[in-house]
Amino acid sequence: MLEVSSLSHTYPSGEKALHDLSFTIDEGEKVALLGPNGAGKSTLLLRLTGAYSGEGQVLIGGQSGEDALRREVGLVFQNPDDQLFSPTVGEDVAYGPLARGLSSQDVEQQVARALEAVKLGYARDRFPQNLSGGEKKRAALATVLVLSPRLLVLDEPSAGLDARARRSVIDVLKKRNGATLVATHDLELAAEVARRAIVLDEGRLVYDGSLDELLKNEEMLYRHGLKA
């Protein structure tokens, strides 16, 4: 479903953030993207969504190009305030479908389904900035789920959440059937949501395999900053 080949990324400053990454993700597969700060995780997510361009190739369903990536890959930012900007939660969730030219009836149905998926139907008419941290995260998630992305990618979905809010986000991700790539430092969340791990360190892919096996490998966890 997703094929990444020889992907590298160099910023205008000359800093090389990614070095020759190659991997695939299958339909419905859930993968944890792990690594220390500065490993290149966020840069990789932005390449997968077409926000950045550079060396290498990203194919989604056999298609390449920014248009295909923006249509098929949905990104949930670490900070939900970067994703919520409308007067109400419902309008935020409706923004994407309306921009794609869907009918008002179709938009209404898709917004209702997305809010139900994140258990936030009660907040449809609320001002997003009045929501709790966990509610904001789920609202941001709904703005992406409403577009039915082929691949959902999330940047640190549990960051800044208390235990109850974190659990609500984990439950949503566990119930999702589609392909999901979760960049996180939260190894417990990763273990609940994913079966496979991709580990980056200094922009290089250093592990791609079973998450269970990785979590048993203390030396690997320490070496790549996943455990202190």
Side-chain angles (χ1 to χ4, degrees):
M1 185 274 297
L2 179 80
E3 183 176 357
V4 175
S5 303
S6 301
L7 192 73
S8 295
H9 192 82
T10 304
Y11 283 104
S13 64
E15 175 193 1
K16 192 151 189 176
L18 300 174
H19 301 263
D20 197 31
L21 307 184
S22 295
F23 61 89
T24 62
I25 295 178
D26 293 334
E27 293 281 4
E29 190 174 19
K30 294 181 179 180
V31 182
L33 178 62
L34 308 175
N37 288 335
K41 300 188 299 296
S42 294
T43 301
L44 174 58
L45 297 188
L46 291 169
R47 284 296 302 271
L48 296 184
T49 62
Y52 288 170
S53 59
E55 303 169 64
Q57 187 175 56
V58 181
L59 298 178
I60 182 81
Q63 301 178 63
S64 63
E66 293 178 5
D67 288 345
L69 293 176
R70 289 172 179 168
R71 182 175 62 252
E72 301 288 359
V73 182
L75 171 62
V76 181
F77 292 104
Q78 178 175 341
N79 183 353
D81 290 333
D82 293 336
Q83 212 142 359
L84 303 172
F85 51 82
S86 298
T88 68
V89 171
E91 288 173 275
D92 263 324
V93 179
Y95 180 86
L98 287 171
R100 290 188 175 180
L102 299 185
S103 70
S104 58
Q105 182 177 359
D106 286 342
V107 170
E108 173 67 24
Q109 292 174 348
Q110 292 191 19
V111 169
R113 280 198 296 266
L115 289 174
E116 175 60 28
V118 299
K119 304 234 179 312
L120 211 58
Y122 64 86
R124 180 171 184 151
D125 296 321
R126 291 190 186 177
F127 180 50
Q129 300 311 314
N130 289 341
L131 300 179
S132 69
E135 287 172 328
K136 283 184 180 181
K137 287 271 189 178
R138 286 184 285 139
L141 186 52
T143 68
V144 176
L145 292 179
V146 72
L147 297 172
S148 300
R150 199 161 183 180
L151 173 65
L152 174 67
V153 296
L154 305 99
D155 196 357
E156 298 292 350
S158 64
L161 299 184
D162 62 24
R164 182 176 296 172
R166 176 179 170 278
R167 170 51 52 190
S168 68
V169 171
I170 289 173
D171 288 344
V172 172
L173 297 180
K174 288 175 70 173
K175 290 176 182 176
R176 172 174 161 78
N177 294 320
T180 307
L181 179 64
V182 185
T184 183
H185 289 98
D186 187 339
L187 295 182
E188 292 181 0
L189 177 148
E192 286 206 55
V193 171
R195 292 293 173 267
R196 174 181 163 203
I198 291 174
V199 180
L200 300 185
D201 198 352
E202 296 183 346
R204 292 177 170 83
L205 197 158
V206 296
Y207 181 88
D208 183 356
S210 164
L211 178 56
D212 286 343
E213 291 302 313
L214 174 66
L215 294 177
K216 295 173 186 175
N217 190 331
E218 295 282 327
E219 191 274 335
M220 174 76 77
L221 295 176
Y222 283 115
R223 188 198 318 162
H224 297 295
L226 302 177
K227 193 171 183 179

